[in-house]
Amino acid sequence: MPSLIENIQRHGGLADRLTNRLIWKFAGARRALATDVPLVSFTFDDVPDSALDQGAAILERHGARGTFYIAGGLAGQVEPERVLIAPEGCRELAERGHEVGCHTFSHRRIRDMSRRELPRDLDRNAAYLAGAGVAPPPANFAFPYNAAWPLARPEFRRRFRSCRGAGEAINRGLVDPLMLKAVEIRQPEAQARALTRWIDDVAETPGWLVFFTHDIAARPTAHGCTPETFDRLVAHAVDRGCIVLPVDRALDRLGW
Ligand SMILES: [Zn+2]
């Protein structure tokens, strides 16, 4: 009988949502997350230019910085609803004190890459970011499509301090750094605004709340939100006494 992992591999794209839910069962070496102050990280995937123009600027106005997971293969891409940042945007983020993370080069699901393709892809993204003037090399990773993939753990452990999926949960207790959980900021807008409840939750019982989103625009895509809502979330985190940190600095603080 095929194992659960084999089934997931075989049914690939058809079962993303189910896969992304089941995959947490395969979290591995866990670390104790001990913090007496609530930690919040705001992260961006891909990354659209509005995440730089609006998202980064909003974080900075609150004295905070974010983590931007870049897929070099998307650089400068013009899509119907968004434009992705080019190398200059990556460098600007780093210069402004934000963390630039890795999101693969090709933006393919990890489970669809062979054992030889994955290291090549990750090398290519590291070279892209180095060429963009981003230093040091990315220390943290986010799975494309949030499709965490435990079989690739040895490759990720060699390269990164953490890997982020989705999972719609606060990281608390025993946590696998190579499968960090995160909460998505997305449409509908009313639902995005109501995400302050997650901040209230982590403020009451400290842990590490990682948000992820894409564009921050007046007319956001399904996977983004408006500047007003993003500002409200960041302000709420600060008001509730959360420490807002890029992923890499949160890991430092946790002593991981
Ligand atoms: Zn992505």
Side-chain angles (χ1 to χ4, degrees), residues 3-253:
S3 70
L4 176 57
I5 286 220
E6 281 161 348
N7 261 315
I8 287 167
Q9 217 150 18
R10 196 167 309 159
H11 298 291
L14 297 174
D16 256 349
R17 289 187 70 141
L18 185 64
T19 303
N20 287 355
R21 208 169 327 141
L22 284 173
I23 210 72
W24 300 101
K25 294 193 189 306
F26 294 92
R30 295 169 194 264
R31 305 194 70 146
L33 193 155
T35 181
D36 43 16
V37 278
L39 303 178
V40 176
S41 297
F42 289 94
T43 73
F44 299 83
D45 290 358
D46 293 354
V47 161
D49 57 3
S50 65
L52 164 60
D53 299 339
Q54 302 277 348
I58 289 167
L59 283 165
E60 289 163 20
R61 279 205 293 278
H62 292 281
R65 296 295 184 274
T67 298
F68 294 73
Y69 295 103
I70 302 284
L74 301 178
Q77 194 163 294
V78 179
E79 299 175 356
E81 289 185 296
R82 60 178 198 170
V83 175
L84 286 302
I85 62 171
E88 308 78 66
C90 299
R91 188 173 58 241
E92 186 179 339
L93 283 167
E95 283 170 358
R96 283 161 60 174
H98 297 277
E99 178 187 3
V100 175
C102 176
H103 193 43
T104 72
F105 183 84
S106 61
H107 203 266
R108 288 167 61 208
R109 285 170 182 77
I110 302 304
R111 65 168 180 261
D112 294 338
M113 292 191 205
S114 72
R115 211 172 269 190
R116 288 166 67 178
E117 280 175 311
L118 176 61
R120 275 205 299 263
D121 179 282
L122 298 175
D123 285 345
R124 196 171 173 197
N125 207 49
Y128 167 76
L129 291 173
V134 174
N140 296 287
F141 177 84
F143 292 101
Y145 309 100
N146 303 308
W149 193 239
L151 294 186
R153 177 184 302 281
E155 188 64 45
F156 288 122
R157 194 188 298 117
R158 271 195 291 279
R159 294 172 184 258
F160 301 115
R161 298 180 78 188
S162 75
C163 297
R164 196 217 77 217
E168 298 294 303
I170 293 169
N171 298 286
R172 281 197 188 104
L174 291 174
V175 170
D176 178 358
L178 297 181
M179 287 180 79
L180 286 181
K181 292 188 175 178
V183 173
E184 185 170 17
I185 304 170
R186 55 166 296 153
Q187 294 302 288
E189 195 68 14
Q191 199 174 298
R193 272 199 304 276
L195 294 176
T196 47
R197 75 177 191 282
W198 286 97
I199 296 166
D200 294 334
D201 186 335
V202 78
E204 276 148 35
T205 313
W208 183 16
L209 170 60
V210 181
F211 282 116
F212 73 99
T213 190
H214 295 78
D215 54 308
I216 305 292
R219 278 198 213 97
T221 68
H223 300 282
C225 75
T226 64
E228 292 71 27
T229 293
F230 188 68
D231 184 78
R232 182 180 152 134
L233 292 174
V234 180
H236 195 73
V238 172
D239 291 347
R240 291 297 318 252
C242 301
I243 299 189
V244 180
L245 292 173
V247 166
D248 204 52
R249 292 194 37 216
L251 291 168
D252 288 343
R253 197 183 160 96

